[in-house]
Amino acid sequence: LFSFGRKLDETFLEELEEVLYNSDLGPVGTRIVEDLKESYRKREVKEVAEVPAFLRRRLLHRLAGSEAPLVSAPQGPTVVLIVGVNGSGKTTSIAKLAAHLKKQGKSVLLGAGDTFRAAAVEQLTRWAERLGIPIVKQPTGADPAAVAFDAVAAAVARKVDYLLLDTAGRLHTQKNLMAELEKVVRVVKKQLPDAPHETLLVLDATTGQNAIRQASEFAQSAPVTGLILAKMDGTAKGGAFFGIREVLPVPVKFLGVGEGVEDLEPFAVEGYVDAILT
Amino acid sequence: SLAGALGKAYRAIVGQKVLTESNIEDGIRAVRQALLEADVNFQVAKEFVADVKRRALGLDVIKAVEPGQQFIKCFHDALTDLLLGGQAQGLPVAPQAPLVLMMCGLQGSGKTTTCAKLALWLRKNKKKNPLLVAADLQRPAAVDQLQALGKQLNIAVYAEPTTARPPEVCRRGLEHARTRQHDVVILDTAGRLHIDEPLMKELQQIHDLCKPHGVLLVCDSMLGQDAVNSAKEFHARLPLHGLVLTKVDGDARGGAALSIVKVTGRPILFAGVGEKPDDLEEFDPPRMAGRILG
Ligand SMILES: Nc1nc2c(ncn2[C@@H]2O[C@H](COP(=O)(O)OP(=O)(O)OP(=O)(O)O)[C@@H](O)[C@H]2O)c(=O)[nH]1
Ligand SMILES: Nc1nc2c(ncn2[C@@H]2O[C@H](COP(=O)(O)OP(=O)(O)OP(=O)(O)O)[C@@H](O)[C@H]2O)c(=O)[nH]1
Ligand SMILES: [Mg+2]
Ligand SMILES: [Mg+2]
């Protein structure tokens, strides 16, 4: 695309739009190409060789402030609520986050808040056993708010550093399930006024523009404070994050880069942008 | 909405006899924009729009129909045809029982849930006696998940300890099916990345050993541009019979469906429309076409 001596013409702009579009930037990509056209017209960008640097600046500018570490409550357990649509990678991300925190010498408690899906409690329990981390759970079919209540109570009683609370996958179009999520948040807040201290929305990096809907809708029902972009080890670039930034400017705390317990990385904006421009 | 955008673009057609290159230019651009916003692949959208433009040019403007509507209908019909693909063929028919179906796809796409749904659908609608085979031995409690679903629906599940290897589990599952008079076997495989060489090879090993009559690629309807990358690779590695689109009960426009059908040349046979076992429908191309166009 940026080969030497290439003209900055309509064909180039369309190819560039396609490259950005292929990374799921959607309308944001179109807008960036419009900005480039404008800068070219104003002679701020004079030739194709200057385009990569222009793009990099623009993309980094849009993501300014999008990195942040996991929060830590000033006192008492830090309650981390994990939410997101079905199959996005919530339960696996919790296992990875738990392992990461344990490695840092923190004490962790897991809450098996998905009481709906077949073998969801079993799945998180297997992870808990593998990691040697305690878990609060009830049988499938129990009220998720009841599990949340028990988990927070246990976290306080055992004086753990972190409580990671799993929730069932749900589509934001399911009003009753979004109401259920609101109830879980209320129950947690009632016990610890500042909780959940962190609510992480787990997004599948292969998701297209619907990720923007997910972000804005989930933020209506839970105090989303950050994102986890899972499955970034595939060929998807997770570019929907640019669109999300315009409706929900919260940081990406971690990237999921595989199915193993070690496959969690802190989000690094430069690497993320470079991958899109490669 | 597309209808709104086309309504504006169609002042040019009012009073015209025929759809021409110039009077449909704005409309073409509006449709292409709608497709891109719906997550349709860039090249697929380009080719599709060019193709419909060829069909639309020279069409007489039907007096009784609002030109914008006629134009939308042209696209809607073309999109429906494309999505219809070879749907008429449905699931494969086995020359002798059992019919063996193999589910594959990316992580979290809905394979395990779809296996259970499909088994229930086959029992209810085709009077089959299905066997589910739990061949995902790597995800924690994946076997438990399929067994729990089987128990819930009173559908037989063949499972082994997770120390076993998926190809052998599938082969023994087939033998088990024959001894128990099951006439359909559905193999649930682990989610995997299309770029994971060892796991893609494992899928081919399962295929070579069990010779399924149909391989179904299970795809999440909210997939973005990466849909063509994964679909192309699965299609290159395995003879795909058809596709299942899941989580259609969400509000993703579903443009990935169009892209995947286009690059694999295979039809979408079913749509997952919820988490419950009976939330499986035969795919409805005209309805999906309307949804993609927005
Ligand atoms: N390659 C890859 N796979 C992942 C990643 N994160 C999760 N997965 C896989 O994605 C699938 C779904 O993960 P889960 O953790 O069960 O997802 P979930 O959001 O809890 O799913 P539900 O509870 O059913 O909504 C599993 O096969 C995981 O191993 C990741 O970062 N990379
Ligand atoms: N709303 C909705 N949820 C679905 C649908 N199909 C599957 N799910 C949910 O999506 C999540 C993932 O489903 P699974 O069946 O575990 O997906 P999978 O492809 O087997 O996952 P891996 O084995 O980890 O690759 C679960 O929470 C399912 O209940 C659907 O059509 N609609
Ligand atoms: Mg889960
Ligand atoms: Mg599965």
Side-chain angles (χ1 to χ4, degrees), chain A residues 85-88 90 92 114 116-118 123 168-171 173-174 177 231 259, chain B residues 104-115 117 136 139 142 145 149 188-192 218 220-222 245-250 271-276 279-280:
Chain A
V85 302
N86 308 73
S88 64
K90 298 176 291 301
T92 310
D114 179 354
F116 172 75
R117 204 207 69 212
Q123 184 185 4
R170 71 202 67 222
L171 296 183
T173 46
Q174 293 155 328
L177 295 185
K231 309 177 196 173
E259 300 190 68
Chain B
C104 65
L106 296 174
Q107 290 91 345
S109 59
K111 297 174 293 301
T112 304
T113 310
T114 301
C115 284
K117 288 177 178 179
D136 177 355
R139 168 173 149 159
Q145 185 184 3
L149 289 169
D188 182 22
T189 65
R192 66 204 65 214
V218 179
D220 195 322
S221 60
M222 59 184 94
L245 201 62
T246 61
K247 307 173 204 172
V248 174
D249 46 314
V273 294
E275 291 193 77
K276 300 200 295 304
D279 289 328
L280 187 74

Side-chain angles (χ1 to χ4, degrees), chain A residues 1 23 27 67 80 98 106 119 189 201-202 228 247 254 257 271:
Chain A
L1 178 63
S23 293
E67 288 175 8
V80 181
K106 303 281 192 287
K189 245 191 186 337
L201 173 63
V202 180
I228 294 181
V247 305
F254 298 99
V257 292

Side-chain angles (χ1 to χ4, degrees), chain A residues 38-242:
Chain A
E38 188 60 13
S39 291
Y40 182 61
R41 206 182 53 79
K42 294 203 224 142
R43 321 233 85 257
E44 289 163 357
V45 170
K46 301 199 191 60
E47 49 174 6
V48 167
E50 296 174 20
V51 174
F54 171 88
L55 290 175
R56 201 162 186 279
R57 273 199 313 279
R58 286 296 158 112
L59 295 178
L60 286 175
H61 177 73
R62 280 172 171 272
L63 299 188
S66 62
E67 288 175 8
L70 194 66
V71 302
S72 172
Q75 60 191 32
T78 302
V79 177
V80 181
L81 183 66
I82 302 289
V83 304
V85 302
N86 308 73
S88 64
K90 298 176 291 301
T91 305
T92 310
S93 297
I94 287 176
K96 295 174 185 178
L97 193 50
H100 169 81
L101 291 168
K102 188 172 180 189
K103 238 187 184 165
Q104 292 183 338
K106 303 281 192 287
S107 60
V108 184
L109 176 68
L110 301 182
D114 179 354
T115 55
F116 172 75
R117 204 207 69 212
V121 174
E122 285 76 357
Q123 184 185 4
L124 192 60
T125 302
R126 292 282 155 77
W127 280 117
E129 289 165 353
R130 263 188 223 183
L131 299 173
I133 290 181
I135 178 169
V136 169
K137 58 183 174 172
Q138 288 185 25
T140 299
D143 177 2
V147 178
F149 183 89
D150 285 356
V152 175
V156 171
R158 299 185 211 186
K159 297 186 171 26
V160 295
D161 297 320
Y162 280 89
L163 166 64
L164 307 183
L165 187 54
D166 197 4
T167 60
R170 71 202 67 222
L171 296 183
H172 48 282
T173 46
Q174 293 155 328
K175 296 290 164 231
N176 57 331
L177 295 185
M178 296 309 279
E180 176 189 270
L181 182 58
E182 290 166 18
K183 182 174 176 209
V184 167
V185 174
R186 273 199 307 276
V187 163
V188 166
K189 245 191 186 337
K190 205 148 177 262
Q191 288 170 283
L192 284 182
D194 296 335
H197 303 89
E198 187 88 86
T199 297
L200 301 180
L201 173 63
V202 180
L203 293 163
D204 188 326
T206 63
T207 301
Q209 298 304 300
N210 194 250
I212 301 170
R213 287 280 300 151
Q214 291 174 25
S216 52
E217 292 298 303
F218 270 85
Q220 303 281 339
S221 297
V224 177
T225 54
L227 310 174
I228 294 181
L229 284 183
K231 309 177 196 173
M232 283 292 285
D233 47 315
T235 49
K237 304 290 174 75
F241 176 47
F242 284 93

Side-chain angles (χ1 to χ4, degrees), chain B:
Chain B
S1 76
L2 180 60
L6 288 184
K8 292 193 16 231
Y10 276 85
R11 303 295 135 72
I13 296 193
V14 172
Q16 301 292 321
K17 290 264 179 354
V18 173
L19 297 178
T20 66
E21 182 92 37
S22 63
N23 68 19
I24 65 174
E25 198 48 54
D26 284 348
I28 290 279
R29 203 171 311 124
V31 172
R32 185 168 158 269
Q33 193 55 35
L35 293 177
L36 295 184
E37 285 168 13
D39 290 327
V40 176
N41 173 262
F42 200 92
Q43 286 302 330
V44 169
K46 202 170 167 190
E47 288 168 29
F48 176 75
V49 164
D51 183 46
V52 181
K53 184 172 165 180
R54 261 192 305 277
R55 291 196 210 189
L57 285 180
L59 277 189
D60 295 331
V61 176
I62 298 171
K63 287 284 182 287
V65 179
E66 218 276 356
Q69 288 304 322
Q70 186 185 358
F71 194 73
I72 291 183
K73 178 155 189 342
C74 209
F75 271 97
H76 186 270
D77 290 350
L79 199 48
T80 301
D81 285 345
L82 209 163
L83 289 172
L84 207 47
Q87 195 185 29
Q89 56 184 286
L91 284 171
V93 170
Q96 63 187 54
L99 167 68
V100 181
L101 301 173
M102 178 178 163
M103 300 294 206
C104 65
L106 296 174
Q107 290 91 345
S109 59
K111 297 174 293 301
T112 304
T113 310
T114 301
C115 284
K117 288 177 178 179
L118 188 56
L120 182 66
W121 189 90
L122 286 165
R123 187 173 69 194
K124 271 196 192 159
N125 299 298
K126 306 286 181 187
K127 304 282 176 284
K128 297 291 188 190
N129 175 19
L131 174 71
L132 294 167
V133 174
D136 177 355
L137 302 171
Q138 70 189 41
R139 168 173 149 159
V143 172
D144 303 58
Q145 185 184 3
L146 197 63
Q147 284 177 317
L149 289 169
K151 186 147 172 270
Q152 186 187 338
L153 304 172
N154 198 17
I155 290 178
V157 176
Y158 179 81
E160 291 188 24
T162 58
T163 44
R165 293 190 56 253
E168 276 78 61
V169 171
C170 289
R171 184 176 54 77
R172 289 191 285 264
L174 282 191
E175 290 169 9
H176 180 87
R178 289 188 188 106
T179 65
R180 299 291 165 87
Q181 321 316 50
H182 289 289
D183 47 13
V184 175
V185 177
I186 300 175
L187 309 174
D188 182 22
T189 65
R192 66 204 65 214
L193 294 178
H194 53 290
I195 52 172
D196 187 327
E197 189 57 32
L199 283 186
M200 290 306 281
K201 266 217 166 61
E202 177 189 89
L203 218 48
Q204 287 173 309
Q205 282 180 336
I206 295 174
H207 189 271
D208 293 343
L209 208 51
C210 301
K211 311 207 182 336
H213 302 95
V215 179
L216 303 180
L217 180 65
V218 179
C219 307
D220 195 322
S221 60
M222 59 184 94
L223 282 175
Q225 294 306 302
D226 197 54
V228 294
N229 298 330
S230 48
K232 264 192 198 149
E233 189 58 29
F234 275 91
H235 184 53
R237 301 285 196 130
L238 298 164
L240 297 182
H241 176 81
L243 315 165
V244 178
L245 201 62
T246 61
K247 307 173 204 172
V248 174
D249 46 314
D251 59 6
R253 293 268 290 277
L258 176 62
S259 312
I260 294 177
V261 167
K262 195 99 199 304
V263 303
T264 60
R266 306 309 304 164
I268 298 171
L269 299 178
F270 294 97
V273 294
E275 291 193 77
K276 300 200 295 304
D278 51 13
D279 289 328
L280 187 74
E281 295 175 354
E282 286 185 279
F283 184 61
D284 182 343
R287 206 162 90 207
M288 193 75 209
R291 175 173 172 153
I292 291 175
L293 287 173

